[in-house]
Amino acid sequence: MIDPIRNFRRAFSVLSVAAVLFGNVPSARAEQAHREPHGDAAPAATPRGKHDATVRHSFDDVQHWVAMFDDPARDQWQKPAELVRALGIGAGMRVADLGAGTGYFSRYLSAAVGESGTVFAVDPEPNLVAHLRERAEREGTANVVPVLASRENPRLPAAGIDLVLVVDTFHHIDDRPGYFRRLAGCLKPGGRVAIVDFKKEDLPVGPPLDHKLTRDQIVEEMQAAGYRLVAEPGLLPYQYALIFGVPARAGDEPSKKTD
Ligand SMILES: C[S@@+](CC[C@H](N)C(=O)[O-])C[C@H]1O[C@@H](n2cnc3c(N)ncnc32)[C@H](O)[C@@H]1O
């Protein structure tokens, strides 16, 4: 006689093994199936903690991401020229595009810093970093320096950066307070970090709701990392833009003469 409970248990254990083996590895097909106007693929892993990435997946399929991130329709809502203008980038500055992706912002940042400045286009995905170099050569942006980061370390020079731009990337980073506390060591005195990310609302573009972080959570995490919010230009329809600075530490201030 067929024992339905035993059959159910057997099927469940087979599925559990399959989930352990494959569950956290997104297949290329799963990514294709979840394509959005400008968004992420299906989640690759359960987040480990409240400051961990809300989604982990591969960015190795360059052509897939070029079609998404460099879609000309994006310009209408991303307003890259206006956004870069609002960041107050001056000639000669050294700026980093953290999670540079396909280099959507590269040429705008390159023009803003000019010939005497540098744009570090930082990404942990080797295929994208190769693409960033090819793109810089194609676009003739000699001041763009691609950087192969690790997930925990942007590999930027110590005390060398005026501004770090982080667009649609914050939610991909693990242990964000720890990460951005370490990143502060890459900033010049007075350096800033600009975080642009999707509002946690239903939007016609961007990742699914459960991959997004609220503006307040980002502010709270950046404060936990030692930053304070210094500006919030409200120029984008679907994203917030939050600009943070690091208050000078007491020990960094010039000592007062007592005699
Ligand atoms: C949604 S894309 C955004 C790309 C680009 N900023 C844009 O707006 O077009 C996120 C990027 O973050 C990168 N990324 C993921 N984890 C990262 C980490 N820990 N540190 C830096 N970049 C990361 C990915 O490789 C990917 O290129």
Side-chain angles (χ1 to χ4, degrees):
M1 204 175 119
I2 298 168
D3 178 349
I5 296 181
R6 212 161 131 211
N7 278 354
F8 174 79
R9 281 212 188 106
R10 193 176 299 152
F12 185 77
S13 69
V14 169
L15 283 175
S16 304
V17 171
V20 168
L21 288 176
F22 306 115
N24 292 342
V25 183
S27 69
R29 203 167 293 150
E31 290 215 348
Q32 298 295 331
H34 201 89
R35 208 177 274 203
E36 294 183 2
H38 175 78
D40 294 330
T46 309
R48 285 183 290 245
K50 93 174 195 160
H51 298 135
D52 280 356
T54 58
V55 60
R56 297 187 191 92
H57 59 73
S58 170
F59 282 93
D60 62 354
D61 183 350
V62 173
Q63 287 321 311
H64 172 82
W65 299 112
V66 164
M68 192 177 291
F69 300 152
D70 295 323
D71 179 352
R74 180 181 177 187
D75 294 356
Q76 281 176 6
W77 53 266
Q78 188 63 84
K79 305 178 189 280
E82 291 94 321
L83 176 61
V84 167
R85 209 174 305 127
L87 297 176
I89 297 172
M93 280 191 176
R94 283 151 67 97
V95 305
D97 184 5
L98 179 64
T102 56
Y104 175 81
F105 282 98
S106 290
R107 63 182 191 279
Y108 300 97
L109 294 170
S110 168
V113 299
E115 276 179 20
S116 58
T118 306
V119 178
F120 295 97
V122 179
D123 206 280
E125 170 47 55
N127 291 355
L128 285 176
V129 176
H131 174 79
L132 288 164
R133 172 176 53 76
E134 285 158 21
R135 181 172 189 154
E137 283 167 9
R138 189 170 10 100
E139 293 181 344
T141 48
N143 56 3
V144 172
V145 178
V147 175
L148 179 59
S150 69
R151 294 199 163 272
E152 300 75 30
N153 185 333
R155 313 303 307 181
L156 288 168
I161 308 295
D162 293 286
L163 177 91
V164 179
L165 176 63
V166 190
V167 182
D168 305 341
T169 295
F170 196 78
H171 68 285
H172 290 292
I173 297 174
D174 282 331
D175 177 27
R176 292 178 289 267
Y179 184 96
F180 282 91
R181 197 173 301 118
R182 295 191 298 279
L183 183 83
C186 304
L187 296 177
K188 290 184 188 175
R192 296 166 299 145
V193 175
I195 298 177
V196 178
D197 226 307
F198 287 99
K199 296 173 185 169
K200 196 170 170 74
E201 302 167 4
D202 276 321
L203 300 170
V205 294
L209 199 61
D210 60 345
H211 295 185
K212 299 189 242 187
L213 298 168
T214 63
R215 169 220 177 264
D216 290 354
Q217 185 172 348
I218 292 187
V219 172
E220 182 203 297
E221 291 186 6
M222 290 301 280
Q223 284 171 347
Y227 295 76
R228 73 185 164 87
L229 185 64
V230 294
E232 189 169 358
L235 76 165
L236 302 175
Y238 302 135
Q239 295 149 300
Y240 40 75
L242 306 168
I243 304 179
F244 296 91
V246 188
R249 287 171 300 166
D252 294 341
E253 285 162 13
S255 55
K256 287 189 187 119
K257 277 190 108 183
T258 48
D259 58 347

